[in-house]
Amino acid sequence: MTLKETKLSKEDYIPASIRIPRHLDFDSCLEHVDYNIERLSEMLTNEGNVHIFDVLNYIVPIITNVCRLVEEPTNRDKDDTFCLQTRLKSCRPEDIEKLESELENIRGNDLYQKLKYARNHTVAHTNSAYEGYGATQNALAEDAIYLIERENRLKNLVSNIKSLIHNVEISVRRKEGKQLNVATFTIQVPK
């Protein structure tokens, strides 16, 4: 597999996606990650030339979506954002220690550390006036290859995050006295 170099202007970069508010269906965030892992894997394991910009279209959402779920946001919208760290505050007190331990295991995973490093040192530069944006492309392409070479472990990490989200939400429902097997939806019909 070879990657084609491209000369793109800064305006050609796709911005990192926004965080999901905690009151919406956050599972779609990880479904998006699963989809991008599959597409990236297909792309990088097929023979032939792969356009580096196509690789960026799949690797950036993986990095940003996983990190936004695990790491607490640094901006002032912490209360309006779903992430595991902030959601733990709403759990039953007797569950918090076990759930925090699971979260720390995820954060200690070497593939998660790779994703977090990529978010902090390369993805952040795709939207700025960073002079080395060509180097950013190459670094993200190398990260993509590294992650797909460890695809099963990456899928396992995503599965662990899904499991932790489920356990956190079950704990929150128990604390709020809600039934565990009932979901409510609000549908608005335009007049």
Side-chain angles (χ1 to χ4, degrees):
M1 184 225 41
T2 59
L3 295 173
K4 290 191 272 184
E5 296 270 341
T6 60
K7 299 286 185 193
L8 297 172
S9 69
K10 294 172 194 169
E11 291 79 31
D12 292 328
Y13 286 102
I14 296 174
S17 52
I18 59 172
R19 288 182 175 265
I20 298 174
R22 71 176 177 201
H23 301 294
L24 296 179
D25 183 10
F26 49 84
D27 286 338
S28 65
C29 188
L30 287 172
E31 288 172 10
H32 192 58
V33 169
D34 289 338
Y35 170 80
N36 283 300
I37 290 171
E38 293 299 324
R39 291 291 299 134
L40 190 60
S41 177
E42 290 172 15
M43 183 185 307
L44 293 177
T45 55
N46 288 336
E47 296 295 325
N49 290 333
V50 176
H51 196 283
I52 196 166
F53 196 64
D54 292 333
V55 172
L56 297 180
N57 285 335
Y58 294 109
I59 191 62
V60 171
I62 293 170
I63 293 167
T64 56
N65 285 326
V66 168
C67 291
R68 84 168 42 101
L69 288 172
V70 176
E71 295 300 319
E72 188 172 10
T74 57
N75 61 15
R76 62 178 182 246
D77 298 329
K78 290 180 183 183
D79 293 334
D80 294 330
T81 303
F82 176 87
C83 76
L84 287 165
Q85 185 64 49
T86 58
R87 195 69 172 147
L88 281 174
K89 298 170 188 169
S90 302
C91 291
R92 294 186 323 163
E94 57 269 23
D95 296 335
I96 290 177
E97 186 176 329
K98 178 182 180 281
L99 296 172
E100 282 179 341
S101 175
E102 289 180 38
L103 181 59
E104 289 309 312
N105 286 340
I106 289 169
R107 285 183 175 148
N109 184 299
D110 63 321
L111 290 181
Y112 176 74
Q113 291 298 316
K114 182 77 168 174
L115 291 169
K116 186 177 174 185
Y117 180 85
R119 182 201 62 183
N120 292 344
H121 294 93
T122 50
V123 172
H125 295 306
T126 61
N127 298 321
S128 67
Y130 182 61
E131 293 300 320
Y133 58 87
T136 300
Q137 284 183 330
N138 293 333
L140 285 170
E142 289 172 14
D143 290 340
I145 293 167
Y146 177 88
L147 291 168
I148 293 306
E149 287 173 349
R150 293 151 184 83
E151 181 179 356
N152 289 334
R153 290 186 52 225
L154 179 60
K155 288 180 179 179
N156 189 43
L157 173 66
V158 173
S159 178
N160 290 343
I161 293 170
K162 288 179 184 178
S163 177
L164 181 56
I165 289 171
H166 174 76
N167 293 338
V168 165
E169 290 305 306
I170 291 295
S171 180
V172 169
R173 289 183 79 83
R174 285 183 176 147
K175 182 179 179 182
E176 294 173 348
K178 294 181 179 175
Q179 293 181 348
L180 302 181
N181 59 351
V182 175
T184 59
F185 300 93
T186 303
I187 300 174
Q188 285 186 318
V189 178
K191 292 181 181 184

